[in-house]
Amino acid sequence: MIQIKFAERLRELREAAGLRKCNLARMIHVSPPAISQWESDWCRPSFDTLAILAEIFHTTTDYLIGVSNERSRI
């Protein structure tokens, strides 16, 4: 369940930020297919990458993985 929320939330945040998969991939030093795999619920990023994604999207890792529904960091 948490992994599915991550996939949905990553796609939602990326699209809201107006980022293409290739742009986000460049920002975090991964391949565009890695972004596709995360968004299709095929696999998950490392903890380090998850923290970077939270920073990029100004949210928490808890929100990204579905533990919390509060998007904003305090």
Side-chain angles (χ1 to χ4, degrees), residues 2-54:
I2 288 175
Q3 184 176 356
I4 294 169
K5 282 202 175 190
F6 171 75
E8 293 170 357
R9 287 185 173 175
L10 177 60
R11 177 178 291 127
E12 173 189 303
L13 290 167
R14 180 183 58 77
E15 290 175 350
L19 290 171
R20 294 175 52 198
K21 291 176 186 175
C22 62
N23 300 121
L24 179 58
R26 244 183 265 123
M27 292 172 73
I28 60 174
H29 308 289
V30 299
S31 67
I35 305 295
S36 293
Q37 290 174 350
W38 299 340
E39 290 186 358
S40 65
D41 197 30
W42 183 256
C43 64
R44 293 173 242 173
S46 69
F47 291 127
D48 292 338
T49 303
L50 185 65
I52 293 168
L53 289 167

Side-chain angles (χ1 to χ4, degrees), residues 47-68:
F47 291 127
D48 292 338
T49 303
L50 185 65
I52 293 168
L53 289 167
E55 186 71 26
I56 288 170
F57 295 118
H58 306 287
T59 192
T60 64
T61 55
D62 282 354
Y63 177 79
L64 278 172
I65 64 172
V67 173
S68 169

